[in-house]
Amino acid sequence: MPTKELASYLFLGEEDYLKEIELGKLKSRFLEKATRDLNYSVFYAKDKDFRLKELLDILNTAPFVSPRRFVILKDAESLSESDKESVLFYLKNPKDTSIFVMDSKAARIKEGFILEASKLARLVRASRLIDSEINAWISKRVMAAGKKISIEAVSLI
């Protein structure tokens, strides 16, 4: 029996570049190029004009000429307590036609909203690389691009 594809993701960590790489992969996977702009929305929980109702309305609306809609909520940990409860309620029964990505700067899952959301969404960690990891990451990215780089060049970067 095939497993159901999760429609919700929780991105944790402070490394925005790594998050953007993963978001790009998800957008390419779930959104068609021709209708991408019509079915892609980004909300910022810290924005003074943020309205959770608008975000939930979009998540619950059928996509326009596409199989999926893609919605991102930045700074998810900044939601009010009542908004957090509403998001958790949505996560318990998400729409199959919407991909919902919550982005949080939190580096760890401690308690409360982030812990509960991590149980209901696919977790993607994007922690800052420490010194010993940076060289390996650079080498891996260069090789993935089909190029070569010397250890000395990596050290210079």
Side-chain angles (χ1 to χ4, degrees):
M1 175 183 218
T3 59
K4 182 180 176 186
E5 177 73 35
L6 283 179
S8 302
Y9 294 80
L10 175 60
F11 281 50
L12 285 185
E14 56 283 321
E15 189 55 59
D16 291 334
Y17 179 73
L18 296 176
K19 288 180 184 179
E20 289 303 317
I21 290 171
E22 291 303 315
L23 278 173
K25 290 177 186 176
L26 284 176
K27 285 192 297 191
S28 294
R29 181 173 161 197
F30 292 114
L31 290 177
E32 298 171 349
K33 283 186 179 185
T35 58
R36 183 172 288 166
D37 292 341
L38 300 171
N39 293 293
Y40 177 72
S41 303
V42 180
F43 292 87
Y44 296 85
K46 285 185 176 180
D47 191 347
K48 67 177 182 154
D49 297 327
F50 172 73
R51 301 286 179 260
L52 182 68
K53 183 183 181 326
E54 183 181 347
L55 179 141
L56 293 173
D57 286 348
I58 288 173
L59 282 170
N60 288 307
T61 301
F64 184 73
V65 193
S66 174
R68 297 277 170 94
R69 179 176 294 283
F70 199 93
V71 178
I72 300 172
L73 174 61
K74 298 276 190 177
D75 308 311
E77 73 280 0
S78 299
L79 292 169
S80 69
E81 290 305 313
S82 63
D83 285 355
K84 288 176 181 176
E85 290 301 317
S86 296
V87 168
L88 291 173
F89 183 79
Y90 173 83
L91 290 174
K92 290 176 183 171
N93 191 26
K95 289 282 192 185
D96 290 339
T97 57
S98 291
I99 301 299
F100 181 35
V101 177
M102 295 165 291
D103 182 12
S104 172
K105 296 280 186 197
R108 298 170 198 221
I109 300 172
K110 295 179 182 174
E111 58 188 33
F113 172 71
I114 296 296
L115 176 62
E116 293 305 312
S118 72
K119 295 176 184 176
L120 300 167
R122 176 167 287 146
L123 187 60
V124 177
R125 292 187 182 270
S127 300
R128 289 208 192 276
L129 299 175
I130 58 175
D131 289 341
S132 62
E133 298 171 321
I134 292 173
N135 288 354
W137 183 83
I138 292 170
S139 295
K140 184 178 175 182
R141 296 284 301 165
V142 169
M143 286 191 315
K147 305 292 181 185
K148 293 181 182 181
I149 189 168
S150 69
I151 295 170
E152 294 81 16
V154 170
S155 296
L156 286 173
I157 295 174

